[in-house]
Amino acid sequence: MEHRRPFKLMALSLIFMGVATLAWASAIAAQTANTETKPAVTAPAASQADGDYVGMETCITCHEDQHKRFKNTVMGKIMEHPRTDLEKRGCEACHGPGKAHVEAGGGKETIPVRFGKDSKNSVAEQNAACLDCHSKGNRLFWKGSQHDSRAIACVDCHQVKQELHPALSSEGRYSSPLTENRGLKKSQPELCLQCHQMRKAQLQRSSHMPYREGKVTCTSCHNPHGSPNPKQLLQSTTNENCLSCHTERRGPFLWEHPPVMENCANCHDPHGTSNPQLLKVRMPRVCDSCHVATRHPTQAQPLGSIKNFNRGCTNCHSAIHGSNHPSGDKFLR
Amino acid sequence: MKTIKQLAAFTVFAILCFPAGLFAQEEKAPEHGTIDFGLRFAAGDVDGRPDLLSGQCLGCGSPFDPSLKTSKYNEYRDIRNGFFIRRLDFKFENVLGSKNNYMTLQSQKSLFKDQSYLATYGSYGKFKIQFRYDEIPHTYSNTARTLFTETSPGVWRFPDLIRKTLQSPTTSAANLPSVINTQVVTDFNFITPAILRRAGSLLFSYNPTAEWSLTASFWRESEKGNRPIGLIMNSSPSASASSGYGVELPEPINYFNNRLQFGAEYGRQSWAFQAGYFGSFFQNNVGTLTWDNPFRLTLESAGNPLTGRMDLYPDNQAHYLNFAAGADVGKYVRVTGSVTPGWLRQNDLFLPYSTNTALLTCGDGTQACTSIAALPVARLEGNKQTLAMNFSGVTTMWKKVQAKASYRHYDYNNNTPVHSFTPAEGDSAAPALDPITLLPVTTENTPFGYNRKNLELSGSWYFSKRSAFKLGYEKEWMDRVHRDAEHSVDNSIFTAVDFSPNKDLLFRLSYRHSDRKPEVYLDDVSLEISGGIPVDSPLARRFDQAARLEHRADGLVQYNFTDKLTASAFAGTLQDDYNRAGESNSATPLNFLTGAAATTNPYYLYGLLKDISYNYGVNLDYALSTQVTLFAEYSREQYHKRMISRYRGPESTTLTANPNGCGTSSNGLLYQGPCDSPNNDWESTANERVDILAAGADAHFGKKTYLTAYYTLSAAKGNVNSAALGTQPANFLTSPTPVDPTPLALADRFMLTTTNAAVDYPETVNRSHEFTVMFRYKLTDRLTPKFEYRYQQWDYKDYQTSAMTQYMGCVATTGVPAVLVPQTPSVSATVAPGCPSVGPTAASSISSPYYPYFVVGDPSAARYLFLGVDQPSYKAHYVSFTLEYRF
């Protein structure tokens, strides 16, 4: 591994990205001349001529109830004071132009874009309607992400016009940190656990982070909308993710334990275990599985051994995450 | 009295709310939010430690108070009796005269140590100012006791009088356990190791236009309290009656974490660019932990330090920049990229090598180990640079097909300088001298770094609505510095099918196969010979670098049978196989035994061989009527790990008349010869089974009455079993001298006996039961009383902690039996004089009543004082009555 080459790569990459972005911006500006461009997967809504739009007032004449609910949502509030041409379209910004629907006197089949399981639109078409506005922020890496590539629709998790009414048992069983996001179909972690059902079991383990207590939740570490990082993590690596809270273990230390610095998940399972300290295997075996040196690391250790009970190996090697003590080469200090 | 006051306050508050609710139902004014408040009571027993009776005062120390408050029940919570505000949720629109402005305030568990607040003021689509405050408690134990007192932050003192007693020549190895048990432990005071995290953050975001977003935030967290830490005062990791000391102490935690974040984003419908900065600053306000040696008050010498000192985590900081962009290139292609460089710094002052004034051979060999001058440098100047770069392109050029190519580069570049040190282990041992130069043997730090590159090619075919077939390939190149496998390659193929034939049925299946191969596996330490054998076993393979074959499969089926019945089932497995013949592992089995014993379970490396897990489960929801829904869930997880190790011992330089090593010593029979024979291989398996069960019902009657009742169970059992893989001749003599008769050669002498025996550990059990009934009645549109009852039971039995007391050295030094894990009452360890005998017979003992016939205690812990950390079982009843008021 060369120490300097990556930073040359980084500089070249940044220059490339900058030039590409500028070039692309210029091209877009020239092409669109203040008009909205089409998304990569074009929703029917955007493929229609402007004359096909009937305006929100027309929609409200029949759909007053939906409008009442919608106008109290964040999207509804923003569309009261639209900033873009798309936002000015109100209902038709998401559902597409309503002319055909109006002329037919209503009917679900004449709505260009509908959402949910009974929609005729593909998942890509439905998502494209959302991404018309929501392609920035933490959705930047949505395209090609884990959930996108497995045909997950935005509306599988989100809802716009409904209030969240969890079952009473859900209130009792799940707890999540305070959030402003009121557009989810269920609160976290219950929402994620619908598909990731194995995690539901893991969160019940005796050794766990405070998920059940509503202090940490799935999106504390993961971005379900896609990230360029492994496991859709918010940070670049597993360790950067863990060390964003457990900063004391970040180092650099004088004496480092390489598997610790490389991946916390070598020894710990963050989703919960039955062993102390979220360990995948309890001590001393978690250490024994790597350390086949001489003397005590290779003794099988009877039950009544100081290297077994209580804190196991860390009864003595307590600085196992790294030591900055000049005498800490064996992680005793 | 306090409860009465709280009850009165609650009643007054309720009375005030009640008419408001009644009148409010006449006219539906806009609602601004809800407040959910009331009274709660929790009662129960901590019953997992019958040896620690409530109110028990063993001497003059504080009595044991098995309170739920400090038990596992409150591990991350703060449930106390009385008035509480469960939830608050205010929202005001059109504030400060603007039609688009809003203000929200939310809270959970207000006024308690697990409270959270979130306040936001903003204008929709324009700006947002947000304040968040959060507290997280973490209680580690309610059985800890110590006689240490913290005289100043990080300085723990032990009573001089007791130190003098324990140092006294009359307190010999033989009666040390008796003195400690009868005169020392009885005075220990109960403490509660716990920490509290308190974090506040301020965020500002501003959208000057629909395209621009600017954000800035600052987050500060205080983490205070203490948590248990084990400390040794010895060169080798044990304390014993003859050498070395150990203590377990509450490690002082007094941290500040600060985060600073800025970001800007410009985005249009088809492209966006992000740039940001993230800084994280860790500050430890108690940088060292100093403690008295309880067994020594005077006459400090090498091997007998009066104090010990630990360097706690040093201050550090990390800075990251982030640049990310995404753009649609033409109609069908989207490219994204991100570049995130990072800088990690740490530059705390070093402590001297030791506090032991008797150690005088540090640095150049003549310097006091207590002197800073003996160090090569005063600070580390720790310096790491990271770089994460990701580039991907996704195309939807073909209808219903998406193709993706991505490349990832992550560099963990450690530029920390390398220096030579002369460590004084455990404040006890002077640095070893080189026999030729007579200068101290030095040890260099080895800054570890790595580089990982990933290339992924994948495609998804959306063959029908809500259905996709995905196929992909990934290659990973890993390069490391200062590790055994410097270069390795991991090839993976993966596939997934998501199929929804109709709106009621959904299948999700995925499979991944990976094959990781190190180019060369070379542990440098295995090339060093010490005591006649390599320091590390040449065929030991660390699982995070070793050759590995991985299979991962997951499946999920969701089906709505009818409008009334919904079911889902899932299953998954993850299987890592490291036990592969050839290439970086041995080409032939390493088993000592031949024939069936070897061929049924051959192994080609030492270390982890297999890591296998399975999980499966089913969920059911059934609408009994329009009012009543039943639900049931069951899942099981199973984990299995198998590892191989070898008991290895170098030639001993200690003169012994009865050699009990394997090989021939360099001095005939006077020294213990080196031991490195496959006949001393042993295996260990770790098995865990976890069953999760939940069943209950949700009911509503009319639009006013809601009721739920459910039961959940999480039950886990774990076994760690070990066994020797070699053999011991039937006529092997253990006493007075281990003798291996022919045909086994001396080099293959079987050593896995007595304290080296590979034996099974007793089963660990933890079960969490919860039964809950909740009742909610909508009195008016605005007022909803709620009643909640929970019964929680936590059953816990773990040989590592359930047996813990403050002193574990009650097994007599001379009384260790030949087999240390007896399964019958007839075999047990000998009790040290003065120790309580709680075993099956008066002449022998076990250290814990929870594991009859197992010995949990160690003569090597004869001079180690523990805290006795445990989280015992409990039973708790929780009742709350709350009012939810919407206003």
Side-chain angles (χ1 to χ4, degrees), chain A residues 24 37 119 169 236 247 301, chain B residues 257 269 328 408 465 698 761:
Chain A
W24 184 245
T37 51
S119 168
S169 58
S236 297
T247 48
Q301 306 299 348
Chain B
N257 279 312
Q269 201 175 38
D328 296 338
R408 174 177 169 76
K465 211 181 77 172
D698 275 301
Y761 299 151

Side-chain angles (χ1 to χ4, degrees), chain B residues 718-752:
Chain B
N719 292 89
V720 177
N721 298 331
S722 306
L725 297 170
T727 186
Q728 176 170 277
N731 55 349
F732 180 82
L733 302 176
T734 56
S735 179
T737 304
V739 174
D740 253 344
T742 52
L744 280 182
L746 183 63
D748 290 326
R749 170 172 285 162
F750 186 78
M751 303 292 292
L752 301 181

